[in-house]
Amino acid sequence: MLNMLDYIKKQRIVDTKIINSYMDGFNINYADNPPKKILVISTGSSFNSVLSIKNFAENICDISIDVREPFQFAEYERVPKDIDLTLAVTLNGTSLSTVRAIRKVKRDNDKPIISVTSDINSPITKESDYVVDMLCGKEEVRYSTMGVSATIVTLIMLLIDMSNLNKEKKNKLIVDLQMLVNEIDIVIDDSITFYKTNKSKLLGLNRSSIIGYGSNLGTVKEAETKFTETVKIPSQGFELEAYMHGPIFELKKNYGIFIVQQDTQEYSYARGIQLEKFVEKYCDNVFNIKILSNTPDLKSSSKNLIIHNNIGREEYTPILGIIPFQIFAYFITLDKGIDLSKPVFPDFRSQLGSKIGEKD
């Protein structure tokens, strides 16, 4: 049986397969005009993946993304009247709350519904007009890593296809995406080295805050998810300024602070460095994930893990930005003796039924 690290290492191959398979589009009828506003229903790591592509959709493809949590949406919210289509993003396609939310959309809206999933025979596909296969298969490990990367890349390719960009611009976006995906193995190796350098500090953490901004807001939320469900310490992902408006005041010396910083937007990067310098005065465990462009010779250090953004496009960086947290989660659990193959609560799925047809 493959372990979590095995799936992390499969990401470059799977992402390349997705790019090559959808190079010529998805054969989907997006109605008379390219969509301008999309409703997206997703939860958990799928929700975090959608957050990771939101800036790409809006800034590059000129498509507005309205992402909703399915339970809250199904029970309390209204279907927007101005949407052009709906995406149901669910890795295994078995999320009960997502299925219920999509049924609500079908009752109240006649626009196309596209399910994006790794299982083209899963329950969510029965509710959809079109099905997009992530081409990553099912992860036998309960905690998604490869699936997160596959979700992001599949959504990027889908957005490129449905956008109103000309052929030349679409091809350039795809070339840039492949160039960034080619860096995945390097980031994995550098993240493992960084973990080994900081092993004693990372193993000693009893609480962590992960802070980011821009396109990597989804990255810090997914890092929160991974740390909470695997390492099993209180962990929260914060938008940069939101962290300064309250949460920072619980900071203690022995906490862990991770700051994801990309340098493509000058003001945001400067604010990230300001926060980094401030928290270092009050916390012994500050780790920086710096995703930098135009710095090919800069090397990682004990406190800075350097990821090189060779294409200079921020919107793709979550594909690389999440990898260090996947690596940290795996090795911390390994070194702490936490068995990820065993469910924490053996009766969780049977008692709460959040996944259709899945057993504990």
Side-chain angles (χ1 to χ4, degrees):
M1 178 179 174
L2 299 181
N3 62 32
M4 188 171 167
L5 183 60
D6 295 324
Y7 285 110
I8 294 171
K9 290 184 174 181
K10 289 178 70 172
Q11 289 182 80
R12 179 183 59 80
I13 294 171
V14 169
D15 290 350
T16 298
K17 177 183 177 182
I18 295 166
I19 294 169
N20 290 336
S21 298
Y22 294 129
M23 192 83 71
D24 296 322
F26 290 82
N27 195 28
I28 293 174
N29 179 11
Y30 302 113
D32 295 334
N33 298 301
K36 301 298 291 183
K37 183 173 182 179
I38 299 175
L39 173 66
V40 185
I41 305 296
S42 59
T43 192
S45 289
S46 295
F47 185 93
N48 301 334
S49 299
V50 175
L51 283 184
S52 296
I53 58 87
K54 192 173 189 295
N55 284 1
F56 176 78
E58 297 182 348
N59 297 337
I60 306 301
C61 298
D62 195 27
I63 298 172
S64 177
I65 296 289
D66 182 358
V67 56
R68 307 285 187 96
E69 286 278 4
F71 181 84
Q72 184 75 8
F73 175 79
E75 300 301 320
Y76 297 101
E77 298 172 359
R78 298 172 65 181
V79 178
K81 297 185 182 301
D82 57 345
I83 58 172
D84 298 310
L85 63 84
T86 298
L87 294 182
V89 183
T90 165
L91 184 56
N92 294 326
T94 57
S95 167
L96 175 61
S97 59
T98 301
V99 168
R100 294 184 70 252
I102 290 301
R103 286 174 180 167
K104 176 175 181 172
V105 174
K106 290 171 67 176
R107 289 195 304 267
D108 297 348
N109 186 279
D110 61 356
K111 298 299 174 65
I113 295 173
I114 304 171
S115 61
V116 182
T117 179
S118 67
D119 184 351
I120 60 174
N121 297 309
S122 60
I124 194 63
T125 64
K126 310 301 186 292
E127 311 295 333
S128 310
D129 300 301
Y130 300 96
V131 178
V132 170
D133 188 349
M134 294 181 192
L135 302 175
C136 62
K138 183 177 175 61
E139 285 181 89
E140 297 302 325
V141 178
R142 290 171 176 265
Y143 311 109
S144 302
T145 52
M146 176 187 70
V148 171
S149 184
T151 303
I152 293 171
V153 172
T154 302
L155 289 173
I156 287 173
M157 292 296 291
L158 185 60
L159 286 162
I160 292 173
D161 183 50
M162 68 174 63
S163 75
N164 204 24
L165 298 169
N166 63 41
K167 186 68 173 177
E168 182 181 355
K169 289 181 179 179
K170 288 184 177 183
N171 287 341
K172 180 61 167 64
L173 288 171
I174 293 171
V175 169
D176 285 351
L177 179 60
Q178 184 62 68
M179 286 178 62
L180 187 124
V181 164
N182 290 342
E183 301 296 313
I184 286 176
D185 291 348
I186 295 172
V187 177
I188 290 172
D189 290 342
D190 289 348
S191 299
I192 292 173
T193 299
F194 190 83
Y195 173 79
K196 291 177 178 177
T197 300
N198 293 283
K199 178 177 175 178
S200 60
K201 284 189 173 184
L202 290 168
L203 287 175
L205 299 182
N206 61 9
R207 185 175 181 83
S208 66
S209 294
I210 309 102
I211 301 151
Y213 52 84
S215 296
N216 281 290
L217 181 58
T219 299
V220 302
K221 297 306 291 184
E222 175 59 15
E224 169 192 304
T225 301
K226 279 293 145 298
F227 274 21
T228 303
E229 64 187 1
T230 60
V231 181
K232 306 183 195 326
I233 61 172
S235 302
Q236 288 180 278
F238 294 101
E239 188 269 344
L240 177 70
E241 288 289 339
Y243 180 71
M244 300 183 203
H245 285 71
I248 192 171
F249 298 116
E250 69 148 359
L251 181 64
K252 292 183 172 57
K253 277 282 188 184
N254 61 343
Y255 283 5
I257 297 291
F258 299 84
I259 307 176
V260 182
Q261 305 173 49
Q262 61 271 13
D263 64 353
T264 46
Q265 213 271 16
E266 185 177 351
Y267 177 75
S268 299
Y269 185 50
R271 286 294 280 161
I273 292 175
Q274 276 186 295
L275 178 64
E276 170 193 334
K277 291 179 178 179
F278 181 83
V279 296
E280 282 178 342
K281 296 190 296 182
Y282 300 99
C283 180
D284 293 333
N285 308 302
V286 179
F287 308 100
N288 304 297
I289 313 299
K290 292 182 179 283
I291 307 173
L292 306 179
S293 50
N294 302 315
T295 56
D297 299 323
L298 192 61
K299 305 294 184 183
S300 296
S301 64
S302 60
K303 75 167 189 172
N304 296 319
L305 174 53
I306 305 299
I307 297 175
H308 294 290
N309 175 14
N310 294 329
I311 63 171
R313 186 182 295 284
E314 175 182 325
E315 290 83 4
Y316 288 166
T317 58
I319 297 167
L320 302 181
I322 191 54
I323 291 173
F325 299 101
Q326 296 173 341
I327 291 293
F328 300 161
Y330 172 75
F331 279 101
I332 291 172
T333 57
L334 184 70
D335 289 330
K336 283 189 169 184
I338 300 172
D339 188 350
L340 295 179
S341 68
K342 295 181 179 179
V344 180
F345 305 115
D347 58 347
F348 171 72
R349 288 178 178 169
S350 61
Q351 292 295 309
L352 295 179
S354 61
K355 304 279 190 176
I356 301 172
E358 290 194 14
K359 298 179 180 180
D360 296 305

